[in-house]
Amino acid sequence: MSESVQEPVARFCGNCNCGCPQVFVDPDAPQERRIRITDDFGQQIQLSVDQFQDLLGQAKTGSLDRVAIALG
């Protein structure tokens, strides 16, 4: 993990102190790993800004809804 200061963007849950999933921007990370998404188990994924924008676009159009419905 980069030693730079990560800028928090969003927290999912936020109603507890359990280490909720979060999205960060790491401005000092290589371009292909600038976005970090962490979960409440200490795992993380790193994405490029383009990959993150694609993920957001798919969520906005509803194409990820079937996953939430199937798991819900």
Side-chain angles (χ1 to χ4, degrees), residues 8-51:
V9 175
R11 178 180 290 171
F12 307 102
C13 177
N15 297 322
C16 62
N17 220 1
C18 66
C20 303
Q22 293 187 64
V23 177
F24 296 92
V25 173
D26 186 346
D28 295 330
Q31 193 72 359
E32 68 275 7
R33 297 186 299 180
R34 182 100 2 122
I35 305 297
R36 296 179 190 269
I37 301 175
T38 62
D39 69 11
D40 51 345
F41 301 107
Q43 303 294 313
Q44 71 174 358
I45 61 168
Q46 297 171 290
L47 306 167
S48 69
V49 172
D50 289 340
Q51 290 170 323

